[in-house]
């Protein structure tokens, strides 16, 4: 209950003497005391009742009130039976310490107030549990009564006066009660949540933004299996939703915390249900991808695309354009599979961050192969007034995809993970998909050569090198490759050092020492020695983007 409710109950005979701006504080209990220092018996949130027997002179008020304020009590109610009017020094001390002060009429017993508060608080706890049970029944039933996460968030608002939102790991608002949060606040909340999870801090995590305190609760899917607690957190941190509540859960009782944990479990049921609905789209993407990679005839690929188009763009009359997006998540050590993580991330990243709710993700088909995730993104082939094709106008751009999600993803990747992403140009037929896939993969490799935890590159950035290599004059190509690679080839002939294969593997592994050493079956120190020898022979630095690109081009032209 809130302090304001005490004033609205005439039978309690309370008069407010100060602290009107604090009347929305929550009362969790009641305590009667005349001790000069009752701190050992206070846990926070109490309404303290006192007969003022502790006060011998005006100097006693400030220390007493400071003790109560430090303990986090909700308010102080002083009886008038002992001294008549409440002393001014007590009123002033409460004002200085922002502690609401009530006067209790001498005709009202403290027992009456205590009974009222206990009854209200107990009733609210029972109401909390009833709301959870009711929500559980409604969520488990089919039809419009279910309503998804928004229903349980509405219950939190109406029954418990708690505003809450469900956010994706990128900070996109999936559900909420009342006004939506600003995108910047959503991104900050998601970043704090992911950073806390990666550092192993126990929830709920709390932070203040613009003077408002939020408490963050993880929403973990039930589909992770019974061994979820023992699995590496990196397998799920970038796919789990979170619940943001506009309240400070630090002073909540165990019952209220248990209630919110129950709410997250109910929302997780809906999350798992929606994940299962993605199975068809994932299967379609996998089938098309396998056809493209195995060199199937364009007619066969086109047939599969005709099946996919109505699922991804229902009601669309014309065949869409398509884009391919390739993403890869790499963890240091190489012991965490990156494909499934990249798949979940790509399904989220490809949703317009300005759109709320999970429905937009129903039009994205993402498969994963090895450590890569590959998305087929349909672009409606719309026509303008003159009949010209407008499909590519809605094409995806690499930088725009990551602009709104870079901060949260960097927090989730922490200091041992990396996301790289490449985007192809739009193609309008099955014949172009194979080229689009290779284009997206080349773009991702360009992104991988850049510094940073979250990097992307688009097909436009390939025009200056990969796509133009065939047009470079032969003598220029020979001179460029000889200058970079001949010292390495000569050294390999004399010492059988395999510097060229090492360089190729190092670039293909995006500069990851661990993955490259594993691929070559070398100790990391041996790999570092070889790379150092390459740098010494060529006077280049493989930690610099420009030098990595030069080696990449030289190998492609050789």
């Amino acid at each position: 209950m809130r302090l304001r409710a005490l004033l609205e109950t005439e039978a309690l005979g309370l008069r407010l003497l100060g602290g009107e701006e604090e009347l929305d504080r929550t009362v969790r209990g009641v305590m009667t005391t005349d001790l000069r220092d009752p701190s050992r018996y206070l846990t926070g949130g109490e309404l303290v009742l006192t007969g003022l027997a502790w006060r011998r002179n005006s100097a006693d008020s400030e220390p007493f009130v400071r003790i109560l304020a430090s303990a986090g009590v909700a308010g102080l109610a002083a009886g008038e039976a002992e001294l008549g009017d409440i002393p001014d020094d007590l009123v002033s001390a409460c004002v200085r310490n922002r502690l609401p002060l009530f006067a209790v009429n001498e005709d009202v017993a403290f027992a009456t107030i205590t009974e009222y508060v206990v009854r209200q608080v107990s009733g609210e706890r029972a109401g909390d549990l009833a709301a959870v049970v009711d929500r559980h029944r409604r969520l488990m039933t089919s039809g419009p009564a279910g309503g998804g996460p928004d229903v349980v968030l509405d219950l939190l608002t109406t029954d418990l006066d708690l505003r809450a939102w469900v956010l994706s790991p990128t900070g996109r608002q999936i559900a909420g009660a009342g006004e939506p949060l600003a995108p910047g606040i959503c991104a900050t909340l998601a970043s704090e949540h992911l950073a806390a999870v990666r550092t192993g801090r126990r929830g709920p995590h709390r932070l203040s933004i613009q003077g408002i305190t939020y408490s963050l609760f993880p929403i973990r899917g039930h589909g992770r299996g019974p061994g979820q607690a023992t699995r590496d957190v990196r397998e799920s941190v970038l796919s789990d939703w979170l619940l943001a509540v506009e309240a400070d859960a630090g002073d909540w009782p165990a019952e209220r915390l248990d209630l919110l944990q129950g709410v997250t479990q109910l929302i997780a049921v809906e999350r798992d249900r929606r994940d299962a609905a993605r199975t068809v789209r994932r299967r379609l993407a996998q089938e098309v991808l396998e056809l493209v990679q195995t060199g199937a005839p364009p007619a066969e690929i086109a047939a599969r695309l005709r099946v996919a188009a109505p699922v991804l763009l229902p009601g669309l009359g014309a065949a869409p354009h398509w884009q391919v997006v390739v993403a890869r998540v790499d963890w240091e050590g190489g012991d965490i599979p990156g494909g499934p993580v990249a798949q979940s991330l790509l399904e989220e990243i490809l949703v317009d961050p300005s759109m709320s709710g999970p429905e937009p993700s129903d039009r994205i088909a993402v498969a994963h192969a090895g450590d890569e995730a590959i998305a087929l993104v349909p672009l409606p082939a719309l026509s303008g007034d003159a009949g010209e094709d407008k499909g590519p106008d809605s094409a995806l751009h690499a930088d725009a995809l990551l602009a709104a999600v870079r901060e949260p993803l960097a927090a989730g990747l922490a200091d041992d993970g990396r996301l790289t992403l490449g985007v192809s140009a739009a193609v309008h037929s099955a014949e172009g998909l194979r080229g689009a896939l290779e284009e997206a993969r080349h773009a991702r490799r360009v992104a991988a050569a850049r510094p940073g935890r979250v990097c992307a590159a688009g097909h436009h950035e390939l025009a200056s090198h990969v796509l133009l290599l065939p047009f470079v004059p032969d003598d220029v190509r020979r001179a460029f490759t000889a200058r970079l690679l001949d010292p390495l080839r000569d050294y390999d002939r004399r010492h059988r050092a395999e510097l060229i294969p090492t360089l190729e593997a190092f670039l293909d592994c995006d500069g990851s020492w661990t993955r490259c050493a594993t691929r070559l079956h070398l100790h990391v120190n041996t790999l570092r020695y070889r790379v150092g020898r390459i740098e010494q022979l060529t006077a280049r630095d493989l930690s610099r983007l420009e030098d990595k690109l030069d080696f990449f081009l030289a190998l492609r032209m050789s």
Side-chain angles (χ1 to χ4, degrees):
M1 65 173 295
R2 299 185 182 274
L3 282 175
R4 192 179 304 279
L6 298 173
L7 284 177
E8 297 170 352
T9 306
E10 295 183 4
L12 300 182
L14 298 179
R15 297 196 330 276
L16 182 65
L17 301 181
E20 183 175 2
E21 67 281 2
E22 304 291 336
L23 289 180
D24 284 327
R25 292 186 180 186
T26 300
V27 180
R28 290 168 35 196
V30 62
M31 175 192 177
T32 301
T33 184
D34 275 312
L35 295 173
R36 297 170 66 85
D37 181 3
S39 58
R40 75 185 70 179
Y41 304 109
L42 298 171
T43 59
E46 297 92 349
L47 173 67
V48 174
L49 307 176
T50 181
L52 301 178
W54 50 267
R55 182 183 178 278
R56 297 187 179 88
N57 55 57
S58 60
D60 292 336
S61 293
E62 180 67 28
F64 180 79
V65 172
R66 192 180 299 121
I67 288 170
L68 299 186
S70 298
V73 304
L76 174 64
E80 297 178 324
E82 182 75 18
L83 302 178
D85 291 339
I86 305 303
D88 291 340
D89 51 89
L90 180 59
V91 176
S92 299
C94 287
V95 170
R96 283 192 296 273
N97 290 275
R98 300 181 63 85
L99 183 66
L101 176 63
F102 302 89
V104 182
N105 189 283
E106 61 180 347
D107 295 330
V108 178
F110 283 176
T112 301
I113 300 174
T114 299
E115 181 182 354
Y116 176 84
V117 172
V118 170
R119 185 170 60 250
Q120 291 297 316
V121 172
S122 298
E124 286 187 357
R125 289 176 180 170
D128 287 355
L129 296 176
V132 172
V133 172
D134 180 61
R135 170 62 187 138
H136 187 271
R137 292 196 189 100
R138 293 162 64 185
L139 190 63
M140 292 301 104
T141 57
S142 58
D150 293 285
V151 174
V152 71
L153 299 185
D154 287 339
L155 283 173
L156 288 177
T157 300
T158 58
D159 293 3
L160 307 180
D161 198 22
L162 291 175
R163 298 179 66 206
W165 301 264
V166 176
L167 305 179
S168 77
T170 63
R172 183 174 62 90
Q173 182 173 317
I174 293 169
E179 290 295 322
L181 289 173
I185 293 178
C186 289
T188 301
L189 293 174
S191 299
E192 171 63 22
H193 170 74
L194 291 173
V197 172
R198 287 305 314 274
T199 54
R201 304 204 311 263
R202 296 188 61 184
H205 315 299
R206 294 171 288 151
L207 76 157
S208 293
I209 303 176
Q210 301 174 3
I212 300 175
T213 299
Y214 297 89
S215 297
L216 310 177
F217 298 80
I219 300 173
R220 296 188 174 93
H222 296 88
R224 308 270 194 275
Q228 175 186 344
T230 63
R231 295 178 64 182
D232 195 306
V233 68
R234 293 175 294 179
E235 295 184 57
S236 60
V237 66
L238 292 173
S239 58
D240 285 337
W241 291 352
L242 67 133
L243 177 68
V245 181
E246 188 183 297
D248 187 346
D251 60 355
W252 282 3
E255 293 88 347
R256 180 63 63 92
L257 290 172
D258 289 343
L259 168 67
L260 265 294
Q261 295 295 345
V263 168
T264 64
Q265 292 171 10
L266 292 174
I267 297 174
V269 172
E270 186 67 15
R271 168 64 195 271
D272 289 340
R273 182 180 298 174
R274 285 170 173 168
D275 275 352
R278 292 179 174 178
T279 302
V280 172
R281 295 185 295 280
R282 288 176 172 178
R283 186 181 300 120
L284 284 172
Q286 194 73 44
E287 291 175 356
V288 174
L289 175 63
E290 289 175 358
L291 291 174
V292 170
Q293 293 190 125
T294 56
E300 187 177 353
I301 299 174
R304 297 307 302 159
L305 289 178
R306 284 193 294 273
V307 173
V311 175
L312 301 177
L313 289 172
L316 186 67
H321 290 355
W322 297 89
Q323 273 183 287
V324 177
V325 181
V326 174
R328 180 169 179 147
V329 173
D330 293 300
W331 302 105
E332 289 186 8
D335 54 341
I336 303 297
V341 179
Q343 183 180 42
S344 296
L345 261 187
L346 202 50
E347 287 172 334
E348 176 60 34
I349 290 172
L350 291 174
V351 178
D352 185 342
S354 65
M355 301 180 70
S356 62
E359 289 74 17
S361 64
D362 291 348
R363 295 185 175 183
I364 296 165
V366 184
H368 75 82
D371 288 332
E372 277 186 340
I374 302 166
L376 292 174
V377 183
L379 304 174
L382 304 177
S383 296
D385 294 336
E388 69 272 19
D389 188 8
K390 297 292 184 180
D393 287 350
S394 58
L396 303 172
H397 297 276
D399 289 338
L401 280 178
L402 296 181
V405 301
R406 192 181 302 274
E407 177 188 352
L409 292 184
L413 293 164
D415 58 357
D416 61 350
R418 194 154 191 257
L419 169 68
T420 51
L421 185 145
V423 182
S424 78
V427 297
H428 66 278
S429 67
E431 289 85 348
L433 272 183
R434 185 175 181 83
L437 175 59
E438 289 305 313
E439 192 173 57
R441 281 176 166 159
H442 284 311
R444 193 206 62 79
R445 293 191 185 102
V446 171
R450 296 170 174 166
R453 292 289 168 189
V454 182
C455 299
H459 62 94
H460 300 292
E461 299 175 69
L462 301 180
S464 61
H465 38 82
V466 175
L467 297 184
L468 295 182
L469 289 182
F471 303 98
V472 177
D474 288 342
D475 55 340
V476 174
R477 291 159 62 96
R478 284 192 295 269
F480 182 79
T481 57
R483 186 169 64 251
L484 275 179
L485 301 183
D486 280 358
L488 306 182
R489 290 171 177 147
D490 292 341
Y491 191 89
D492 280 348
R493 275 195 301 270
R494 294 196 309 269
H495 302 282
R496 297 182 180 179
E498 297 187 339
L499 295 186
I500 292 290
T502 299
L503 175 62
E504 292 174 333
F506 187 75
L507 294 176
D508 193 51
C509 291
D510 304 331
S512 170
W513 297 98
T514 304
R515 286 197 295 110
C516 184
T518 301
R519 175 181 294 188
L520 296 175
H521 305 289
L522 297 175
H523 192 278
V524 172
N525 289 341
T526 303
L527 175 62
R528 290 185 186 277
Y529 173 82
R530 288 188 183 181
V531 171
R533 179 64 68 184
I534 292 171
E535 293 174 333
Q536 181 184 19
L537 292 170
T538 60
R540 297 299 184 107
D541 183 356
L542 275 168
S543 67
R544 296 180 68 248
L545 171 62
E546 293 85 353
D547 291 343
K548 284 181 180 177
L549 283 176
D550 282 348
F551 279 121
F552 173 75
L553 294 173
L555 290 169
R556 288 297 302 268
M557 290 190 293
S558 63

